[in-house]
Amino acid sequence: MREYKYAIGRHILRLPSGGVDDVEEPLQAAMRELLEETGMAAATWTSAGIVHP
């Protein structure tokens, strides 16, 4: 997602992110977060790993 950051005075690109609820698998969480944050859904998925910020 392209997002303007006032503190640095420019746009940045960021990935949708979020947590995994107790009752869901990481893929389910990724699908949910993409839909929630962008309004889009993907037809195919490829794992790019897991990040712990």
Side-chain angles (χ1 to χ4, degrees):
M1 296 184 310
R2 188 170 183 241
E3 181 176 48
Y4 184 77
K5 291 292 189 177
Y6 179 80
I8 60 173
R10 62 182 233 188
H11 285 90
I12 63 165
L13 296 177
R14 71 172 191 86
L15 297 172
S17 62
V20 179
D21 295 337
D22 289 336
V23 295
E24 63 185 354
E25 295 294 318
L27 178 57
Q28 292 173 311
M31 295 169 118
R32 176 180 50 76
E33 289 292 341
L34 179 66
L35 187 60
E36 285 177 0
E37 294 191 22
T38 69
M40 297 185 288
T44 59
W45 289 81
T46 302
S47 177
I50 296 173
V51 176
H52 299 282

